[in-house]
């Protein structure tokens, strides 16, 4: 008899404890990585030892600055060739692939290769944020912990997601957004047994971040006023526009990656070529170099003029897309936020000039476009909304954020099948879940789907008699398996038609002699999901169904065909609903 599903069990306590310890460890690693990026930045651009925060934009190297990203690209290319190719890119697609195909087993060497390569790439001017590598490193540490300990594949996935959430929380102090990111891009589920450990890991990661960086928002900006109805409408249109932009950016990035793939040189040299573009762009527009979190704050605060924001948007897009397409190690979040925020600031200023009656605030426009571009590119819709709120603490931004991100998601979903996170692994044949719905089989009780018209065989009946009965056609058209009962009606087991017609058995053999295993059953109050899992584990095609109130009384039999019939009803209902709406069923 299968165990009925329980929302939580005691193993969750163990996984939660591990996740919280992991959260503290990942937050510490995040601090080390940020310090390492600062160390490389100070060495590369200022020729000094130190981990104080500094921006590559403040360098005094002149044209020599062009060579710094090239050197970084050479080092990263060598690390990728002789270390692991998985360090290339922003790391989230690779983590998704390991979750979907490899039971969340990330190679242990990634726990140091990814952060070190990212620190070198970003520290030498790479136009990336530190959050992507930290998320990937946190996931790798969670996976490693799950591989070292005796946990299930689902628990290892939970630890991977907990590490990633703790990493994001440690950078941005956005624990709710970090949990949502884990759900939308890594867990592919929303279950209490995974949600609780991930959430508490994010809380711990945020708490440790507070110790090092304080409790203020990541992007502090002056308070914005609550928008009125015309402004909300304008922000919705901006969100839809950013949905289109996010699709173009995704296609541009992968087109550049495809272009590098056609080059007649080994891929280890591609990051150096990408670094050359980064260096040239950085020479003319220094703000594109490095992490650039200050740029996001400046855009959201309204400190940049329209020309400065337009230049930052264009040049950051050029530098980042080429660098990412070249296969260097870096992230996508901060560059997309910079591009979207700058574009939103420009669009907001334009609306103020041409349509002041809309009451658009350029700072709010920058905020909603920052979130909308990520929502459109990644389809992490809820993550985008909550992230923008948590990193700015702007309560009045929630309604515009919700509308703009929904509009961007809608437009992106209609225009593009895959996302910037999934395109790479989809090209390798990996199917990535994009929607989460309640398990249809989990909603149906066995008693509502099983066959009640059960034909049984008496244990003492001879095989010859049963064969003659089958040959008469009385049951041949319907049943493939038959419960065997004793004189008192108790079920002893199940025999199949193949067993009964086996030519090696003589006609004098009793039916009871054909029973090869104890009866496998399920109660009528079990779900079809529990019954299906029991079938798979026991490698059988049918289960005897027993009464809920009288566990010894058989009330029916459940077959694989009954499971398929339940799905057929779901598909039929979906087709009928779609037919009434005049659309096309998607299943």
């Amino acid at each position: 008899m299968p165990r009925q599903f329980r929302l939580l069990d005691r193993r969750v306590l163990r996984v939660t404890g591990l996740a919280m310890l992991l959260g503290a460890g990942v937050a510490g690693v995040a601090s080390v990585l940020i310090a390492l990026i600062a160390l490389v930045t100070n060495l590369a651009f200022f020729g000094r030892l130190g981990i104080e925060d500094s921006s590559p934009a403040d360098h005094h190297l002149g044209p020599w600055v062009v060579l710094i990203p090239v050197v970084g690209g050479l080092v990263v290319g060598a690390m990728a060739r002789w270390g692991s190719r998985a360090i290339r890119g922003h790391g989230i697609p690779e983590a998704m692939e390991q979750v979907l195909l490899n039971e969340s087993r990330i190679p242990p060497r990634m726990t140091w290769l990814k952060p070190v390569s990212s620190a070198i790439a970003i520290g030498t001017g790479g136009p990336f944020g530190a959050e992507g590598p930290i998320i990937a490193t946190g996931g790798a540490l969670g996976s490693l912990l799950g591989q070292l300990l005796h946990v299930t594949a689902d628990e290892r996935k939970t630890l991977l997601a907990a590490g990633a959430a703790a990493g994001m929380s440690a950078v941005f102090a956005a624990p709710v957004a970090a949990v949502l990111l884990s759900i939308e891009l890594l867990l592919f589920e929303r279950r209490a047994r995974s949600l609780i450990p991930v959430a508490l890991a994010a809380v711990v990661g945020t708490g440790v971040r507070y110790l090092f960086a304080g409790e203020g928002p990541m992007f502090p900006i002056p308070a914005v006023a609550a928008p009125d109805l015309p402004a909300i409408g304008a922000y919705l249109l901006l969100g839809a526009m950013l949905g289109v932009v996010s699709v173009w950016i995704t296609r541009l990035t992968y087109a550049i990656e495809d272009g590098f793939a056609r080059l007649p040189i080994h891929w280890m040299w591609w990051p150096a070529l990408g670094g050359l573009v980064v260096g040239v762009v950085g020479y003319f527009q220094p703000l594109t170099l490095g992490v650039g979190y200050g740029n996001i704050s400046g855009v959201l605060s309204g400190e940049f003029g329209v020309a400065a924001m337009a230049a930052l948007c264009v040049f950051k897009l050029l530098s980042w897309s080429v660098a990412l397409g070249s296969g260097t190690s870096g992230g996508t979040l901060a560059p997309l936020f910079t591009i979207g925020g700058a574009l939103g600031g420009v669009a907001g200023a334009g609306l103020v000039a041409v349509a002041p009656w809309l009451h658009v605030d350029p700072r709010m426009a920058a905020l909603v476009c920052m979130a909308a571009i990520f929502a459109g590119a990644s389809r992490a819709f809820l993550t985008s909304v909550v992230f923008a709120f948590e990193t700015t603490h702007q309560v009045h931004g929630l309604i515009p954020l919700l509308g703009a991100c929904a509009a961007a998601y809608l437009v992106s979903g209609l225009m593009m099948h895959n996302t910037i996170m999934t395109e790479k692994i989809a090209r390798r044949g990996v199917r990535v879940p994009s929607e989460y719905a309640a398990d249809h089989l989990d909603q149906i009780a066995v008693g509502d789907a099983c066959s009640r018209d059960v034909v049984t065989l008496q244990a003492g009946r001879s095989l010859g008699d049963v064969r003659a009965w089958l040959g008469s056609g009385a049951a041949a058209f319907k049943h493939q398996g038959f419960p065997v009962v004793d004189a008192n009606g108790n079920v002893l087991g199940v025999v199949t038609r193949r067993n009964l017609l086996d030519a090696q058995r003589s006609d004098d053999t009793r039916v009871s002699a054909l029973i090869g295993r104890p009866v496998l059953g399920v109660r009528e109050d079990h779900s079809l999901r529990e019954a299906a899992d029991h079938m798979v584990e026991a490698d059988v095609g049918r289960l005897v169904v027993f009464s809920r109130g009288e566990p010894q009384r058989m009330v029916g039999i459940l077959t694989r065909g009954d499971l398929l019939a339940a799905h057929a009803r779901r598909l039929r209902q979906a087709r009928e609903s779609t037919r009434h709406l005049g659309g096309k069923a998607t299943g």
Side-chain angles (χ1 to χ4, degrees):
M1 196 75 66
R3 290 185 302 174
Q4 285 192 297
F5 169 78
R6 293 183 61 186
L7 183 66
L8 295 170
D9 55 36
R10 291 188 177 182
R11 287 190 64 91
V12 175
L13 295 174
R14 178 176 182 242
V15 175
T16 299
L18 293 172
M20 295 176 71
L21 292 174
L22 176 67
V26 170
V29 171
S31 299
V32 172
L33 177 55
I34 292 173
L36 186 57
I37 292 173
L39 176 63
V40 176
T41 300
N42 282 308
L43 280 173
F45 290 93
F46 304 101
R48 64 186 180 223
L49 282 174
I51 59 173
E52 64 272 12
D53 186 29
S54 57
S55 171
D58 299 327
H59 73 86
H60 301 286
L61 297 174
W64 291 105
V65 73
V66 173
L67 298 179
I68 303 295
V70 175
V71 174
L74 288 171
V75 175
V76 172
M79 292 182 68
R81 180 170 184 179
W82 289 291
S84 173
R85 290 189 63 170
I87 67 171
R88 305 172 72 228
H90 49 95
I92 293 179
E94 288 72 23
M96 296 169 72
E97 186 173 23
Q98 296 305 313
V99 168
L100 293 169
L101 299 183
N102 197 31
E103 296 185 339
S104 306
R105 298 179 187 275
I106 296 177
R109 62 182 179 274
M110 291 298 296
T111 57
W112 67 269
L113 276 174
K114 186 64 178 178
V116 171
S117 63
S118 298
I120 293 172
I122 298 170
T124 54
F128 307 106
E131 70 289 331
I134 290 174
I135 290 171
T137 301
L141 286 170
S143 174
L144 176 61
L145 181 62
Q147 293 175 65
L148 294 175
L149 302 177
H150 183 65
V151 299
T152 66
D154 276 346
E155 291 168 342
R156 186 162 49 250
K157 178 177 68 173
T158 298
L159 291 173
L160 185 155
M168 182 173 176
S169 300
V171 176
F172 291 120
V176 180
V179 173
L180 292 172
L181 181 78
S182 297
I183 293 172
E184 294 183 303
L185 296 182
L186 292 173
L187 286 172
F188 306 110
E189 65 181 25
R190 195 203 66 81
R191 298 191 301 175
R193 66 185 68 184
S194 55
L195 184 60
I196 290 173
V198 171
L200 291 177
V203 169
V204 172
T206 304
V208 174
R209 194 258 186 192
Y210 285 166
L211 292 176
F212 291 98
E215 302 174 5
M218 181 68 180
F219 307 124
I221 63 175
V224 294
D228 56 14
L229 186 59
I232 291 176
Y235 298 136
L236 284 174
L237 291 176
L238 287 177
M241 179 187 76
L242 267 293
V244 176
V245 172
S246 69
V247 172
W248 290 346
I249 288 177
T250 301
R251 291 174 177 170
L252 171 65
T253 302
Y254 282 99
I256 292 173
E257 184 175 306
D258 293 339
F260 273 102
R262 288 191 288 269
L263 293 177
I265 58 175
H266 194 277
W267 56 260
M268 73 167 286
W269 304 107
W270 299 351
L273 292 178
L276 181 61
V277 175
V278 170
V280 172
V281 173
Y283 174 68
F284 291 100
Q285 183 58 259
L287 289 179
T288 62
L289 296 170
V291 172
Y293 292 146
N295 297 335
I296 298 175
S297 296
V299 167
L300 296 179
S301 300
E303 297 174 2
F304 289 8
V306 172
M309 288 190 292
L312 179 61
C313 175
V314 172
F315 285 107
K316 188 74 172 185
L317 174 59
L318 173 62
S319 178
W320 167 73
S321 59
V322 172
L324 188 66
S326 72
T328 194
S329 183
T332 60
L333 278 74
L336 284 175
F337 295 150
T338 302
I339 295 165
L343 183 57
V346 172
L351 288 175
V352 169
V354 301
W357 52 269
L358 287 175
H359 304 148
V360 169
D361 186 334
R363 296 172 301 165
M364 182 74 83
L367 179 64
V368 299
C369 289
M370 177 188 84
I373 196 170
F374 187 70
S378 70
R379 310 269 169 81
F381 162 55
L382 295 175
T383 300
S384 304
V385 174
V386 177
F387 175 86
F389 166 69
E390 287 189 298
T391 54
T392 61
H393 293 186
Q394 296 297 319
V395 177
H396 293 314
L398 278 174
I399 298 300
L401 284 168
L402 188 64
C405 289
Y409 189 109
L410 173 63
V411 172
S412 170
L414 292 173
M415 293 181 62
M416 180 173 62
H417 180 67
N418 295 311
T419 72
I420 200 167
M421 301 294 181
T422 63
E423 176 68 23
K424 179 180 294 186
I425 57 178
R427 292 180 176 190
R428 296 200 287 262
V430 180
R431 293 183 59 87
V432 182
S434 58
E435 294 184 347
Y436 312 115
D439 187 343
H440 182 68
L441 294 183
D442 200 39
Q443 302 174 60
I444 302 176
V446 167
D448 295 331
C450 68
S451 302
R452 299 279 180 167
D453 181 19
V454 183
V455 177
T456 61
L457 297 176
Q458 291 293 324
R461 194 171 179 181
S462 71
L463 200 53
D465 185 26
V466 174
R467 286 169 174 169
W469 171 68
L470 289 174
S472 69
F477 70 98
K478 185 175 182 180
H479 296 285
Q480 297 296 322
F482 304 91
V484 179
V485 298
D486 61 17
N488 298 320
N490 297 318
V491 182
L492 304 179
V494 177
V495 295
T496 65
R497 181 184 297 272
R498 180 179 297 178
N499 298 143
L500 296 169
L501 298 178
D502 186 354
Q504 296 182 2
R505 300 278 188 172
S506 67
D507 287 347
D508 296 332
T509 305
R510 300 300 174 184
V511 171
S512 59
L514 303 182
I515 299 175
R517 60 167 65 179
V519 61
L520 294 172
V522 63
R523 287 198 313 272
E524 57 183 338
D525 60 329
H526 278 97
S527 70
L528 287 186
R529 167 53 56 208
E530 292 163 335
D533 291 347
H534 194 36
M535 283 184 181
V536 172
E537 291 172 352
D539 192 24
V540 296
R542 57 193 56 81
L543 297 170
V544 176
V545 180
F546 293 98
S547 169
R548 176 182 181 182
E550 302 176 59
Q552 303 302 319
R553 183 171 67 87
M554 179 180 65
V555 297
I557 192 165
L558 183 75
T559 67
R560 292 193 185 104
D562 295 324
L563 297 177
L564 294 177
H567 273 301
R569 286 196 297 272
R570 175 182 63 85
L571 294 174
R572 185 167 57 252
Q573 292 168 358
R575 283 194 296 268
E576 290 174 353
S577 299
T578 306
R579 190 179 303 116
H580 290 311
L581 294 174
K584 181 179 179 181
T586 60

